[in-house]
């Protein structure tokens, strides 16, 4: 079955997470993604035989190319000629230093769509700052809000900024492709991770601009309306927890039924949502006295049966066996020629008629050199051998 993006060719100069995640989404849905690597720079996240690389680079073709050589630059331009999209997530100076800026590349492919994904963007006083997910999250304000009141900032624990930027990158590419379909024109996309994350603060920015009120960390409390119980409660077992959120009077009554209407639920201090919110600390102690007598899964099941939002605080072992994820095909198994069976997350975009297809594990270094250089660019065997001997295809 052809994917929704079948016929689209993407030249992939990405590394680490944000860029590879974006191009993986395109590859999952049928785009021919050519990942460019060099033995010279192949280290850490770009080492082909590890779980990280294989998670973010499945379904892609792989070539080796040394762009520090002039012949390597010329080969990039030939690849651009036969590609629709180029994606890179280097620091702003890198592509320009190679002579591979957008203006130069459109001389060989006028309708090229090029995406540059960087931490701060291609302009501005911080454009050359070194950036990774954790620092972007701090600058975006989300780290400041991710803690309990009065406690130091905790941060999110993983590079969510990279995946958010990756999703934004895919959205930008699809918009540019639609524009090109209508006009025949390509365009350059300058995507800053900082901007991708700064729009995810909820009402914090609006509240400051409108009311000059600086949002503060609220821990597990509701950010939108008074609600209690609303938090994460310890359950039976070692380090087991369940999140519970009760907003309405109906939900409160259902919650009380599950608990068997203990006398404290009739306390006037808990009569209305605002009363419960004002007495959250006392209520949380009482709720946790109940949750600690039950397994987290039992708490979730009992409350969900009566329409109260509750969810186990799952760890990695829970997620690996999560029945909901498994029933929807979240996990994908692929055979790798060196690593054997690999498991990764599937595609979160589930198109009804043209679903994602997972047909190959991530490539080894230069695994598709013959197809790309020989069949796609028309290079002879002698040329390939010469470039390999000169360290250009390496």
């Amino acid at each position: 079955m052809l994917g929704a993006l079948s016929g689209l060719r993407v030249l992939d100069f990405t590394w680490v997470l944000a860029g590879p995640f974006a191009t993986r989404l395109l590859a999952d849905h049928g785009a021919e993604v050519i990942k460019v690597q060099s033995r010279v720079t192949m280290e850490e996240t770009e080492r082909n035989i590890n779980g990280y690389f294989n998670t973010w680079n499945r379904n892609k073709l792989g070539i080796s190319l040394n762009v520090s050589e002039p012949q390597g630059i010329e080969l990039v331009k030939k690849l651009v000629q036969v590609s629709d999209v180029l994606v890179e997530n280097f620091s702003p100076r890198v592509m320009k230093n190679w002579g591979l800026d957008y203006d130069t590349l459109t001389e060989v492919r006028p309708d090229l769509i090029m995406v540059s994904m960087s931490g701060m963007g291609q302009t501005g006083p911080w454009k050359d700052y070194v950036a990774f997910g954790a620092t972007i999250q701090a600058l975006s304000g989300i780290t400041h809000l991710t803690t309990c009141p009065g406690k130091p900032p905790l941060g999110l624990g993983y590079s969510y900024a990279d995946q958010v930027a990756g999703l934004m990158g895919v959205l930008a590419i699809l918009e540019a492709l639609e524009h090109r379909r209508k006009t025949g024109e390509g365009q350059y996309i300058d995507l800053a991770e900082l901007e991708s994350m700064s729009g995810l603060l909820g009402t914090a920015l609006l509240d400051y601009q409108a009311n000059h009120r600086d949002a503060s960390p609220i821990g597990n409390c509701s950010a939108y309306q008074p609600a209690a119980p609303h938090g994460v409660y310890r359950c039976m077992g070692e380090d087991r927890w369940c999140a519970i959120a009760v907003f309405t009077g109906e939900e409160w009554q259902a919650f009380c039924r599950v608990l068997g209407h203990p006398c404290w639920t009739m306390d006037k201090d808990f009569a209305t949502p605002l009363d419960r919110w004002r007495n959250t600390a006392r209520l949380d102690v009482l709720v946790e006295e109940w949750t600690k007598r039950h397994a987290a899964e039992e708490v979730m099941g009992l409350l969900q049966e009566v329409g109260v939002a509750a969810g186990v605080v799952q760890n990695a072992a829970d997620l690996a066996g999560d029945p909901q994820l498994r029933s929807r095909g979240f996990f994908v198994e692929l055979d790798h020629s060196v690593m054997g069976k690999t498991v990764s997350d599937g595609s979160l975009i589930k198109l009804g008629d043209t679903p994602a297809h997972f047909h190959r594990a991530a490539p080894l270094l230069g695994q598709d050199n013959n197809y790309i250089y020989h069949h796609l660019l028309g290079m002879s065997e002698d040329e390939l051998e010469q470039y390999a001997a000169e360290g250009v295809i390496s």
Side-chain angles (χ1 to χ4, degrees), residues 208-278:
Y208 182 79
Q209 291 175 329
N211 305 313
H212 303 292
R213 191 164 50 205
D214 190 11
S216 300
I218 58 173
N220 292 314
C221 295
S222 170
Y224 305 104
Q225 66 185 76
H230 188 290
V232 175
Y233 300 89
R234 185 181 292 277
C235 298
M236 182 185 293
E238 184 176 354
D239 200 24
R240 301 299 290 173
W241 305 78
C242 187
I244 299 171
V246 176
F247 287 92
T248 67
E250 291 75 16
E251 290 171 354
W252 171 248
Q253 292 303 318
F255 178 81
C256 295
R257 285 200 305 276
V258 169
L259 271 63
H261 293 289
C263 59
W264 56 262
T265 58
M266 271 71 84
D267 193 315
K268 62 181 177 54
D269 286 347
F270 305 139
T272 69
L274 191 57
D275 291 332
R276 293 191 288 277
W277 178 73
R278 285 172 171 161

Side-chain angles (χ1 to χ4, degrees), residues 16 66 84 89 91 132 138 182 211 226 285 324:
V16 192
N66 185 357
D84 300 285
N89 64 326
S91 299
F132 280 94
K182 293 176 179 175
N211 305 313
V285 171
Q324 178 67 16

Side-chain angles (χ1 to χ4, degrees), residues 27-28 30-31 58-61 332 334-335 357-361:
D28 285 348
R58 66 159 178 254
N59 280 345
K60 301 177 185 178
L61 304 175
V332 175
L334 291 169
D335 290 323
H357 181 54
F358 313 105
H359 59 89
R360 63 179 285 174

Side-chain angles (χ1 to χ4, degrees), residues 141 144-151 204 207 213-219 221-223:
H144 169 64
L145 297 177
T146 310
T147 187
C148 292
K151 300 293 184 181
D207 197 18
R213 191 164 50 205
D214 190 11
S216 300
I218 58 173
C221 295
S222 170

Side-chain angles (χ1 to χ4, degrees), residues 153-173:
L154 288 174
L156 296 173
Y158 192 69
S159 299
Y160 294 102
D162 283 347
Q163 287 176 292
V164 170
L167 288 171
M168 294 298 179
V170 170
L171 178 61
I173 290 168

Side-chain angles (χ1 to χ4, degrees), residues 102-235:
Y102 184 66
D103 289 342
T104 300
L105 294 178
T106 52
E107 293 175 4
V108 297
R109 178 76 193 226
D111 64 348
L112 176 71
I113 294 168
M114 179 173 173
V115 184
S116 293
M117 304 170 64
S118 61
M120 306 295 172
Q122 302 296 308
T123 60
W126 291 357
K127 66 181 177 66
D128 292 321
Y129 273 22
V130 177
F132 280 94
T135 58
I136 293 294
Q137 287 155 197
L139 288 166
S140 74
I142 196 75
T143 299
H144 169 64
L145 297 177
T146 310
T147 187
C148 292
K151 300 293 184 181
L154 288 174
L156 296 173
Y158 192 69
S159 299
Y160 294 102
D162 283 347
Q163 287 176 292
V164 170
L167 288 171
M168 294 298 179
V170 170
L171 178 61
I173 290 168
L174 297 179
E175 289 177 349
L177 286 170
E178 178 62 9
H179 176 76
R180 191 175 76 173
R181 186 185 68 80
K182 293 176 179 175
T183 66
E185 299 171 350
Q187 59 185 299
Y188 180 67
I189 300 165
D190 173 7
L191 191 148
E193 262 192 66
L194 176 60
E195 293 170 15
S196 298
M197 282 299 294
S198 295
L200 301 180
L201 285 185
T203 58
L205 272 176
L206 176 65
D207 197 18
Y208 182 79
Q209 291 175 329
N211 305 313
H212 303 292
R213 191 164 50 205
D214 190 11
S216 300
I218 58 173
N220 292 314
C221 295
S222 170
Y224 305 104
Q225 66 185 76
H230 188 290
V232 175
Y233 300 89
R234 185 181 292 277
C235 298

Side-chain angles (χ1 to χ4, degrees), residues 40-54:
V40 177
T41 58
M42 192 184 71
E43 56 187 21
E44 297 182 357
T45 59
E46 285 299 289
R47 297 186 70 84
N48 297 63
I49 307 175
N50 66 41
Y52 189 96
F53 182 90
N54 277 273

